[in-house]
Amino acid sequence: MRLALTLATLLLLAVSTGAQAPPIRIGFASAMSGPAAITGEGVRWGATLAVDEINARGGIMGRKIEAYFADNKATPGEAVSAVRKLADVDQVDVIIGQTHSGACLGAMPVVKEIGIPMVVESCSHPKIRELSGKGGNEWTFRVALDDEIMAYTFARYMARQGVKTSSVLAMNNDFGRGAAVAYEAAFKKAGITLVSTEFFDPGQPDYRPVLTRLKRANPETILGVILASDGAPFMRQFRELGLAQKVYARGSLASAEFLHQVRDNPKIGDGVVEASYWVTGLDADWDKKWTERYKVPPRIHGSLAAITLKWAVAPALEIALKKHGKADRASIRAALTEVDVKDSPLGPIKFDDNHQAWINMILLEIRDGQLRILEKLPTSPALLK
């Protein structure tokens, strides 16, 4: 009787232990401080909301998930520290980030050295695709489209609208410089003359000097590589100086975040057309949950971090658990190569040999102080040939 009782107790303990499997740890790296801190705040909010959603449904095959955060300050050096903090101190199983291209490029060698998968949610420098997967870094994957893919698609659209000349205004960082190079080549291929290229420092308050130079160059259009936080003062001063050029954008100028920052005069952005891959309205339930919790419109980088978790990382975790019975770093990396989501809010998510997903590109317009979707354009490697 005592032996039978002991066996029963052991069986009960085994079942109980299985039911209480340790949580899967997911790290998020972004700029939590510095001039770009608004992006990191959005990532923290989006990640927290997405983790709560998943855990409320029982987690991933019964495994709860936990979120850990690290500050990369949007710089390459700090991104290395952020990865080491998440990998070595927090001991996460996978990283989502780094939001900013320079931080992504800085983080890539260390995630390869450590052997931890990193799924990029929004960094857009073309070199990330070139260096990932068969490019040498098997540990880096990217959901977001890069500037080269976006530039060739967007430039063809602009040419169809009759655009003949344009100037580029870009952030003076890896994101902006990478985009400027991409648009120079894309404009040439599309038959658009690049009149001038101007750079600005993120967070600067005064755009009048650069706007004066743009006015003097007199292009018929301006392509702005700019985020909402910089776009708000830029567009105010653009209107004040009386510039009349059509503004095309790449970043988050045509966004709910921008409209919230100019809510005293939301029509200030009227006519802006932006190339993006996320906008409010793609997932009405998400928009509602975000707004109810945080009392502001959903932010693009936080929403992209959440989509990357829900539609790329979570499916990979499920594949790893089903196929290998575990969700360690190597199993998750292998599972990411098998992810094949047909219809996420961004479109299909399946990683190619360079670990790049070919999601939809969305054309947005601000009209009467409101955002509207002009077109959803599929993307493919054929765009770059």
Side-chain angles (χ1 to χ4, degrees):
M1 174 66 104
R2 182 178 296 173
L3 178 61
L5 184 60
T6 301
L7 290 173
T9 302
L10 289 172
L11 181 60
L12 181 63
L13 283 171
V15 172
S16 175
T17 302
Q20 296 176 358
I24 300 167
R25 299 183 171 205
I26 300 176
F28 294 84
S30 188
M32 306 292 174
S33 64
I38 192 169
T39 60
E41 181 180 58
V43 167
R44 183 184 292 274
W45 288 356
T48 301
L49 186 54
V51 166
D52 288 350
E53 279 187 7
I54 292 170
N55 286 338
R57 295 195 299 266
I60 308 293
M61 296 188 67
R63 296 274 299 273
K64 294 295 179 75
I65 58 176
E66 291 180 348
Y68 294 82
F69 300 93
D71 182 8
N72 64 30
K73 295 182 173 61
T75 66
E78 292 294 338
V80 172
S81 299
V83 168
R84 293 202 179 279
K85 181 260 185 189
L86 291 171
D88 299 337
V89 179
D90 299 324
Q91 298 187 331
V92 302
D93 304 297
V94 57
I95 294 171
I96 294 173
Q98 305 270 333
T99 307
H100 305 273
S101 289
C104 275
L105 291 166
M108 287 177 68
V110 73
V111 301
K112 181 179 179 181
E113 174 196 330
I114 292 172
I116 184 169
M118 179 173 72
V119 187
V120 175
E121 86 289 26
S122 63
C123 306
S124 59
H125 199 293
K127 271 197 164 298
I128 296 167
R129 170 170 45 88
E130 296 169 15
L131 296 172
S132 299
K134 68 179 182 181
N137 192 325
E138 291 291 333
W139 293 91
T140 302
F141 297 76
R142 182 167 59 180
V143 169
L145 298 174
D146 67 42
D147 294 312
E148 190 175 22
I149 300 167
M150 299 283 280
Y152 279 90
T153 310
F154 203 14
R156 292 201 309 178
Y157 170 81
M158 291 171 64
R160 290 201 304 269
Q161 305 309 302
V163 174
K164 300 298 183 186
T165 67
S166 186
S167 287
V168 169
L169 171 70
M171 304 170 72
N172 188 23
N173 58 18
D174 284 302
F175 168 44
R177 288 189 294 270
V181 170
Y183 277 97
E184 181 177 3
F187 281 166
K188 185 176 181 180
K189 187 174 181 179
I192 297 172
T193 299
L194 178 62
V195 176
S196 63
T197 300
E198 301 283 351
F199 292 96
F200 68 92
D201 293 323
Q204 72 179 52
D206 188 3
Y207 294 85
R208 291 175 184 85
V210 71
L211 283 166
T212 300
R213 292 195 296 273
L214 287 169
K215 192 172 185 177
R216 192 180 305 126
N218 196 32
E220 61 179 302
T221 62
I222 296 170
L223 187 286
V225 184
I226 188 167
L227 300 182
S229 52
D230 294 302
F234 169 77
M235 287 306 300
R236 291 184 192 277
Q237 293 165 32
F238 179 90
R239 300 300 186 197
E240 288 170 6
L241 292 179
L243 275 76
Q245 283 88 351
K246 175 78 172 178
V247 176
Y248 292 90
R250 168 74 188 96
S252 56
L253 183 53
S255 67
E257 185 180 341
F258 168 79
L259 291 175
H260 181 72
Q261 293 190 35
V262 297
R263 57 192 179 278
D264 59 310
N265 185 11
K267 292 187 178 182
I268 204 167
D270 275 9
V272 171
V273 173
E274 175 149 337
S276 187
Y277 32 80
W278 179 87
V279 64
T280 52
L282 292 179
D283 185 341
D285 184 58
W286 173 258
D287 296 346
K288 180 181 178 183
K289 288 178 179 177
W290 178 294
T291 305
E292 286 178 349
R293 179 177 290 196
Y294 301 120
K295 312 305 180 188
V296 296
R299 292 182 183 167
I300 182 170
H301 299 97
S303 298
L304 288 171
I307 288 171
T308 299
L309 170 57
K310 295 197 291 184
W311 299 92
V313 172
L317 294 175
E318 187 169 341
I319 291 169
L321 289 169
K322 286 180 177 177
K323 195 166 185 178
H324 305 288
K326 56 185 178 180
D328 61 5
R329 295 171 181 179
S331 299
I332 295 170
R333 190 212 67 79
L336 282 163
T337 65
E338 300 181 44
V339 168
D340 189 3
V341 174
K342 304 298 185 186
D343 190 23
S344 80
L346 305 181
I349 296 179
K350 182 177 183 179
F351 299 106
D352 66 9
D353 289 344
N354 282 99
H355 294 179
Q356 173 68 53
W358 294 84
I359 58 176
N360 294 329
M361 190 181 96
I362 304 172
L363 290 174
L364 312 171
E365 182 184 38
I366 301 177
R367 182 180 294 180
D368 294 326
Q370 300 290 324
L371 282 174
R372 73 185 192 100
I373 296 176
L374 292 176
E375 289 185 60
K376 289 184 181 180
L377 303 173
T379 63
S380 76
L383 289 167
L384 305 179
K385 294 180 181 178

